[in-house]
Amino acid sequence: MTNSYGAAASPADVQSMVNRIIPDAELTPPTIDAVTLLPSFAEKMRECERICRQPYSEISHEIQDALVLRRLQQMIHTIGLNPVWRARLETAGADKPPESFEAWQHVPLSDKDTQRDLFMGSRDGMVVPHGRGGFEVVASGGTSTGKPLETVYSLRELRDTYEVAGRFLGTYQLNDHLAGADPKWLLTTLADYQMWSSGTMVGGVLQNVPGVNYIGAGPVTAPVLEHLFSYRGPKALMGISAGIAILAELGAGMSRQARESFRVALYGSGVLPRRNRAELKALYPNLAILSYFAATQAETIGLQLDEASPVLTAVPGLHLIEIVDEEGFWVPVGEEGELVVTRLHAHEAPLLRLKLGDRMIRRPRLDGYPGPQAQQFEFAGRTGDVLHLNDSQYSAARAYDALRDELKSVGVVDLDQSAHEIQFANHRENRTITLYAAVDDVLGLTYRVDSMLGPQGLQQVFVNALPRSLSLFNDGEANAASIAKTGYTLLVRFVPRHSPDIERTAVGKVPLVRDHT
């Protein structure tokens, strides 16, 4: 169907091929028993590879899209065997298999409440009842909401996704960094025992990276890290952002040879501040710092393949990833929307169009030959990273950027260079927004802001900066004068590292915004 350079066949031939890969008999399983006998989607990807004589990740977008759409049609048929899902889709007028991706966008979005209702308690959203066995229940403690959350995976399909994601990660993200004949090591400091599943799920992916030795280290001390880094050969380590940032402290007494063997740091949540990057680069001279974007419901969503670009690349064939507007329709390339994920490997327990609570900028697809043909997007912040001033909503990430630029332009402080962590606290009752910044020189920077700006100068910085941070849906509704009328006051508080003034989740994440009503 294609040659070795990825040139696609005609649309009719492509459709004929994917119809043979997922034949009509499998497209419409008549019973729950038939669902349990369906070949996995990973098998279909391998069949596509055999026909095209290429790795699935490098097969043309036209063929990938056609196979994914065929899989989505199969999912609608399968999920229709569940009465709860069938009623949900019928109400939305989306109970027919989509003939196009445009039609797919009419399938209703799911959120964390949907997931909680359908996959906890009696687990009414499962196509194959969990009483039959063969499932893994993955639990999250609710790192942002505080509400526990569970989801369910078929073990056979979970193993498939670990292999698909691990192969892609090793081939396109790690391969150039973990070179040479020495043993290669891939570690994670995520903890399996926490009520937060990424330690287990990401560990499943990392174990399936070809040619590496996997170590599930969990949280480490300086002596343990030094011991691990003393092993001969290059190392990569994956952790949450805070777990990666602290490696600059933990490795301070490490031998140069051990530090030189650290080649890749993969951070798994949000953004790693520039100050942390600089400290890590200074200590580990051969280090590349890359994003591994994952979530409880999707163990590998996007991988940063190039340190010079913040763009994330999806693993082809793992999920359908959509960046959508408030109505659930795809935003144009270059625009920001909400991240929505549909796991393609989910016969027994499908969950359609799940909002993960992250905002992304849709980027052009990666389509250079040779190499992966994949969706791309860029992290823009958590959906909840919003500053509410009366009835207006301001992007906290943009607010930080604007405040940082204002403070830097007047020569007060460069927060990117000085701050280890930052967090906004919005006290709505007394109309105060406090920007906390964890820094080394607390007294010096506090004095500098007070002496150079004072309360009035800082307030002027606030009203100048905030109009540039209006959220996508409120753009143009405010200016400096209208912000001043809200009665809100900006405070900047410098605190030492690890200060309790900066609130953290149970797993050590630092939310950008904390709302206090």
Side-chain angles (χ1 to χ4, degrees):
M1 302 307 297
T2 66
N3 61 33
S4 60
Y5 301 100
S10 70
D13 286 341
V14 169
Q15 190 61 52
S16 175
M17 180 184 75
V18 301
N19 289 353
R20 293 199 309 274
I21 292 175
I22 303 179
D24 288 345
E26 295 174 6
L27 189 71
T28 57
T31 65
I32 290 173
D33 288 333
V35 172
T36 65
L37 299 175
L38 285 175
S40 70
F41 187 61
E43 291 180 45
K44 304 305 179 181
M45 293 170 62
R46 288 192 287 270
E47 186 175 349
C48 192
E49 288 180 324
R50 181 184 59 77
I51 295 170
C52 297
R53 301 190 302 276
Q54 289 178 293
Y56 186 85
S57 296
E58 299 187 14
I59 292 171
S60 70
H61 285 294
E62 292 78 12
I63 293 176
Q64 286 190 38
D65 286 350
L67 184 59
V68 167
L69 184 60
R70 182 79 169 170
R71 171 67 184 117
L72 297 177
Q73 293 167 351
Q74 183 186 40
M75 291 182 80
I76 292 297
H77 282 299
T78 302
I79 211 167
L81 295 171
N82 176 287
V84 177
W85 275 109
R86 185 168 62 248
R88 178 178 169 81
L89 294 177
E90 287 174 351
T91 299
D95 53 325
K96 300 291 187 282
E99 295 299 321
S100 65
F101 286 110
E102 287 72 22
W104 169 258
Q105 294 171 56
H106 291 276
V107 172
L109 297 174
S110 301
D111 57 19
K112 299 296 178 69
D113 288 335
T114 309
Q115 184 181 355
R116 191 174 288 109
D117 291 341
L118 296 184
F119 291 94
M120 291 184 69
S122 58
R123 309 192 198 281
D124 294 334
M126 296 180 61
V127 170
V128 177
H130 66 280
R132 296 197 177 203
F135 296 98
E136 177 172 320
V137 177
V138 175
S140 166
T143 55
S144 56
T145 66
K147 297 178 181 179
L149 189 66
E150 294 177 356
T151 191
V152 184
Y153 301 97
S154 159
L155 281 169
R156 66 175 178 126
E157 293 178 298
L158 194 58
R159 295 186 190 107
D160 284 338
T161 62
Y162 288 164
E163 182 180 347
V164 169
R167 184 170 62 247
F168 185 89
L169 187 152
T171 302
Y172 300 107
Q173 189 179 42
L174 296 181
N175 189 57
D176 290 343
H177 300 285
L178 302 184
D182 286 338
K184 301 167 180 63
W185 303 91
L186 184 49
L187 304 79
T188 180
T189 54
L190 299 177
D192 284 356
Y193 62 80
Q194 290 174 321
M195 190 65 170
W196 177 58
S197 65
S198 293
T200 299
M201 298 187 73
V202 172
V205 174
L206 301 184
Q207 292 176 53
N208 279 275
V209 173
V212 304
N213 302 291
Y214 168 71
I215 299 177
V220 296
T221 60
V224 171
L225 186 69
E226 183 171 14
H227 172 72
L228 295 174
F229 276 21
S230 71
Y231 298 166
R232 180 170 57 90
K235 289 99 182 168
L237 186 149
M238 190 273 168
I240 64 172
S241 299
I244 295 300
I246 201 173
L247 296 178
E249 292 182 34
L250 297 180
M254 194 181 295
S255 72
R256 180 171 182 83
Q257 182 177 3
R259 288 186 282 112
E260 287 178 348
S261 72
F262 189 18
R263 303 300 172 82
V264 184
L266 301 174
Y267 63 94
S269 57
V271 176
L272 191 68
R274 188 181 301 176
R275 172 67 184 271
N276 298 144
R277 293 172 179 272
E279 291 175 340
L280 289 165
K281 291 277 194 177
L283 188 65
Y284 302 102
N286 298 320
L287 186 64
I289 302 172
L290 301 170
S291 174
Y292 180 139
F293 194 85
T296 299
Q297 299 78 14
E299 71 280 3
T300 309
I301 299 170
L303 300 173
Q304 183 184 1
L305 304 185
D306 181 0
E307 192 176 21
S309 168
V311 170
L312 301 169
T313 300
V315 178
L318 195 59
H319 307 97
L320 173 66
I321 290 178
E322 307 172 72
I323 314 299
V324 306
D325 60 20
E326 287 186 312
E327 305 301 319
F329 298 107
W330 295 1
V331 301
V333 171
E335 293 194 10
E336 180 182 317
E338 186 159 6
L339 174 67
V340 169
V341 171
T342 300
R343 184 182 182 85
L344 297 173
H345 304 253
H347 287 315
E348 288 93 342
L351 179 54
L352 306 183
R353 306 196 78 199
L354 175 64
K355 299 191 294 182
L356 292 182
D358 297 285
R359 298 196 64 77
M360 296 285 177
I361 302 168
R362 186 180 175 191
R363 294 303 185 197
R365 299 201 293 191
L366 187 60
D367 60 2
Y369 290 102
Q373 315 296 296
Q375 293 175 277
Q376 293 193 123
F377 41 92
E378 183 178 343
F379 182 71
R382 294 286 295 170
T383 304
D385 287 348
V386 173
L387 294 171
H388 296 268
L389 273 70
N390 298 340
D391 294 328
S392 294
Q393 300 178 35
Y394 299 82
S395 161
R398 292 185 190 136
Y400 169 74
D401 288 345
L403 288 167
R404 174 204 61 202
D405 292 347
E406 288 281 336
L407 291 170
K408 185 177 179 180
S409 68
V410 295
V412 175
V413 62
D414 184 341
L415 287 173
D416 275 349
Q417 295 295 329
S418 300
H420 299 281
E421 296 172 328
I422 58 103
Q423 185 177 79
F424 286 102
N426 186 1
H427 296 270
R428 297 202 203 183
E429 187 173 346
N430 60 15
R431 299 192 180 187
T432 299
I433 291 178
T434 303
L435 174 63
Y436 289 100
V439 298
D440 295 327
D441 185 10
V442 175
L443 294 178
L445 289 174
T446 301
Y447 175 78
R448 188 171 178 83
V449 169
D450 289 345
S451 61
M452 293 186 67
L453 289 177
Q456 293 305 315
L458 192 58
Q459 188 66 16
Q460 191 59 48
V461 165
F462 176 61
V463 298
N464 288 342
L466 216 57
R468 304 205 302 273
S469 62
L470 276 165
S471 71
L472 181 66
F473 307 111
N474 298 92
D475 190 22
E477 76 176 39
N479 52 37
S482 63
I483 289 171
K485 289 180 181 177
T486 65
Y488 263 84
T489 300
L490 173 69
L491 302 174
V492 174
R493 293 285 183 265
F494 296 107
V495 297
R497 296 186 72 171
H498 315 303
S499 168
D501 289 320
I502 293 181
E503 299 180 40
R504 293 166 175 79
T505 68
V507 296
K509 294 185 180 182
V510 177
L512 183 57
V513 176
R514 279 305 195 196
D515 251 332
H516 301 277
T517 54

